[in-house]
Amino acid sequence: MNYLNITKYIYLVVGLIMIYDAVTKWNQGEDYTLSLVLAALAIFMYFFRRNFGKRFEDRRNQQNQNKPNE
């Protein structure tokens, strides 16, 4: 697993931590909107990186199939 595959999971972990932070702030009556915005951004980045990685891998596989065997 290389660096780019690990970073998408880091985004997911950060998103879950921000959701937990938002819930605890909400229970304490504090302002939690920034935590929710950061959680949404991190989860969006996870799905974006996952989709981009799949597209990149599909393109690489397609190019390898089109190469003539040596």
Side-chain angles (χ1 to χ4, degrees):
M1 189 181 295
N2 61 13
Y3 171 73
L4 294 177
N5 285 334
I6 294 172
T7 57
K8 66 182 177 182
Y9 295 112
I10 292 173
Y11 282 123
L12 190 60
V13 169
V14 169
L16 293 175
I17 291 170
M18 288 289 108
I19 290 172
Y20 174 77
D21 185 49
V23 169
T24 56
K25 285 183 179 181
W26 180 45
N27 287 335
Q28 294 174 355
E30 298 177 13
D31 187 24
Y32 57 90
T33 54
L34 181 61
S35 296
L36 283 180
V37 168
L38 291 176
L41 181 65
I43 292 171
F44 168 76
M45 285 300 297
Y46 166 75
F47 286 111
F48 178 78
R49 294 291 296 258
R50 187 181 70 161
N51 186 24
F52 184 76
K54 283 182 183 179
R55 192 172 2 154
F56 185 74
E57 187 68 30
D58 290 343
R59 187 179 308 158
R60 187 176 356 173
N61 288 339
Q62 186 179 18
Q63 287 176 353
N64 287 340
Q65 289 176 353
N66 292 338
K67 276 186 181 178
N69 292 335
E70 294 178 15

